[in-house]
Amino acid sequence: MTLAELIAQARTALDTAITARQQEQDALMALRSDENLTEEQARAQIERRDTADAEVTRRQETLAGLEAEQAREEELAQLQARTVPAATRAPAYDRVHRVGAEERTYRPDQDRRGAQFQQDVAAAFLGDYEARDRLARHMQEERTERGDQLRAVGTGAFAGLVVPQYLTDMYAPLARTNRPFADACRRHTLPRTGMTVEISRVTTGSSVDNQSAENAAVAEQDMDDTALSVPVRTAAGQQTASRQSIERGAGVEDVILDDLFRAYGSRLDTTMLNAATVGLSNVATAVAYTDATPTTAELYPKVIEGLAGVEGALLDQASGDNLAVMHSRRWYWMQNAMGTSYPLITQPGVVAQTLGANYAEAYGRGVRGILPNGTPVIVDNNIAVNLGAGTNEDEIFLVDRQECHLWEDPDAPMYIRAEQPKAANLGVLLVVYGYYAFTFQRQPHARKIGGTGLITPTFTGA
């Protein structure tokens, strides 16, 4: 391997280290915005950031050493060139490009196969300004020494040399549903050990009654509880990339990790909504909306019915921090409704004669708007749209946010970069994984609106 190739490798390694350090810094900033942040979590993330920072310094020093070595080699080559006898047939003095005693940019005696020239062509199209300068200097030298041999030709004459300009900063990632509902849930730190989270639920409470007479026995009822076992789940995915794609590509590893991270979020969220037995769709009490010609005005009373059920189930445990969770097609269908009716009781933050308000937030950026009674709306496209007899219905969920519990590791999702398992194939294994647990059954309360009234919407303004 040539010194130039080692330098190119060192630059790639430094760029990777800088990216990893920035990810740790971003994670630290995100962690600091968490109101449940503990000092231990913050200290651990700072240590990870500092470790990544130290790796950047180490890679930087390695690159600086190689570049210094290359500079010394070039200096010695120039010194040696001054001691070699001149060629028997030198070009005319005024036909030679000269800058003092400067040698040609690319010299056959130092690089017979032209590897440095090829590397500079590739680096220049990726934005390396130093490589572009060397290529420009080389072309000026060629014009000076062989100007009479160069003719004006188009790029078609050099189909193998005209490098295509790939816009790597504009790559199109795969669209994902991600995790809008999960991000809106009540967050907890997952315990460090164990694969089950146990919660005690009081199922039989005390009794209080009026005393029948003075000194008579007062009411008594033994309390009893039932354990709620919440399994810890593992979401994981992997991708094997060739070493060539990582070392000779532009940002390949970052693109892969970004896709894996978003796929992790999508899997976690869809599990919370749709998992058998414990997913929100399977624990929520149904509120039927059956209508062959559904309208937003007819759907809204069902929303109020569902919210009434939520508070009726929670009683004094109701926080009032309610959410309506729906698919984007349902949210836009509700926005398409037109009418002259409006609620008789005004609500905070809702303009009279409107059916709620749209906050115009992007998908996955939190609350999208509010309903007429002030209930915030979360839009989540992990909600199934193939339900019902016609396999074309979706559902609307109504929940108390404080009773939608999600436990996650503070570092999730984590990733492993393993080189040895695939070393014989020159492959690098990238694995993303995370542990999480969730429940809506600590205080059973959720409601879901479903039925033929929630078939694929038609946007008719009704």
Side-chain angles (χ1 to χ4, degrees), residues 408-422:
E408 278 193 281
D409 190 298
D411 299 324
M414 295 168 279
Y415 78 93
I416 300 171
R417 189 182 194 275
E419 301 185 6
Q420 292 305 315
K422 301 290 184 178

Side-chain angles (χ1 to χ4, degrees), residues 321-439:
D321 187 8
N322 297 327
L323 287 177
V325 187
M326 64 185 69
H327 195 277
S328 63
R329 74 179 194 176
R330 192 57 53 196
W331 173 237
Y332 283 104
W333 177 72
M334 294 184 72
Q335 291 184 60
N336 108 110
M338 306 291 287
T340 58
S341 299
Y342 55 93
L344 298 179
I345 300 177
T346 60
Q347 304 291 339
V350 180
V351 179
Q353 294 182 297
T354 61
L355 197 64
N358 177 28
Y359 288 168
E361 286 291 339
Y363 179 84
R365 298 289 179 85
V367 174
R368 296 290 294 275
I370 56 174
L371 298 178
N373 70 327
T375 300
V377 174
I378 297 293
V379 172
D380 193 324
N381 285 345
N382 285 304
I383 294 174
V385 294
N386 60 347
L387 305 175
T391 65
N392 61 348
E393 300 172 10
D394 55 66
E395 295 175 321
I396 297 176
F397 301 103
L398 302 162
V399 296
D400 187 312
R401 187 203 304 256
Q402 299 306 314
E403 288 301 331
C404 296
H405 300 276
L406 171 62
W407 290 264
E408 278 193 281
D409 190 298
D411 299 324
M414 295 168 279
Y415 78 93
I416 300 171
R417 189 182 194 275
E419 301 185 6
Q420 292 305 315
K422 301 290 184 178
N425 304 85
L426 287 182
V428 178
L429 179 63
L430 303 173
V431 181
V432 167
Y433 73 99
Y435 306 117
Y436 69 99
F438 67 90
T439 185

Side-chain angles (χ1 to χ4, degrees), residues 83-299:
T83 65
V84 176
T88 57
R89 186 178 179 182
Y93 182 86
D94 62 350
R95 303 296 292 173
V96 179
H97 179 70
R98 302 174 185 277
V99 181
E102 182 178 349
E103 299 292 338
R104 287 294 301 264
T105 303
Y106 304 107
R107 294 176 48 191
D109 60 324
Q110 289 186 353
D111 187 6
R112 293 183 180 277
R113 296 185 178 182
Q116 181 61 53
F117 172 76
Q118 295 175 21
Q119 289 177 0
D120 279 351
V121 171
F125 111 85
L126 291 175
D128 189 327
Y129 293 106
E130 293 182 359
R132 292 178 182 176
D133 290 342
R134 286 193 293 271
L135 290 171
R137 188 162 62 248
H138 169 68
M139 289 305 299
Q140 183 59 40
E141 293 165 357
E142 288 293 292
R143 292 190 187 95
T144 300
E145 296 191 10
R146 300 194 301 120
D148 55 348
Q149 301 176 32
L150 299 179
R151 292 165 38 181
V153 294
T155 58
F158 301 101
L161 296 178
V162 179
V163 181
Q165 298 299 301
Y166 292 98
L167 302 181
T168 55
D169 59 332
M170 293 184 64
Y171 83 95
L174 178 67
R176 300 279 188 181
T177 50
N178 225 309
R179 45 178 293 169
F181 174 58
D183 287 338
C185 289
R186 184 177 175 183
R187 303 283 292 277
H188 309 278
T189 299
L190 188 69
R192 291 185 177 275
T193 58
M195 293 303 292
T196 305
V197 176
E198 298 287 346
I199 301 175
S200 175
R201 295 179 59 241
V202 175
T203 51
T204 302
S206 302
S207 175
V208 174
D209 200 353
N210 296 318
Q211 189 179 27
S212 60
E214 295 180 16
N215 293 321
V218 299
E220 180 181 9
Q221 173 65 54
D222 293 337
M223 292 181 65
D224 191 14
D225 76 332
T226 300
L228 174 62
S229 297
V230 182
V232 175
R233 301 168 185 264
T234 306
Q238 64 177 323
Q239 188 70 240
T240 301
S242 70
R243 183 171 291 279
Q244 292 90 335
S245 68
I246 291 178
E247 294 182 352
R248 302 187 66 82
V252 172
E253 187 170 353
D254 291 339
V255 170
I256 293 173
L257 289 176
D258 172 71
D259 186 61
L260 282 171
F261 285 148
R262 291 185 298 109
Y264 170 88
S266 299
R267 171 49 55 192
L268 180 150
D269 193 86
T270 194
T271 302
M272 294 182 67
L273 287 169
N274 303 308
T277 308
V278 296
L280 184 58
S281 181
N282 290 294
V283 301
T285 301
V287 175
Y289 175 38
T290 303
D291 196 328
T293 56
T295 66
T296 302
E298 292 171 348
L299 170 63

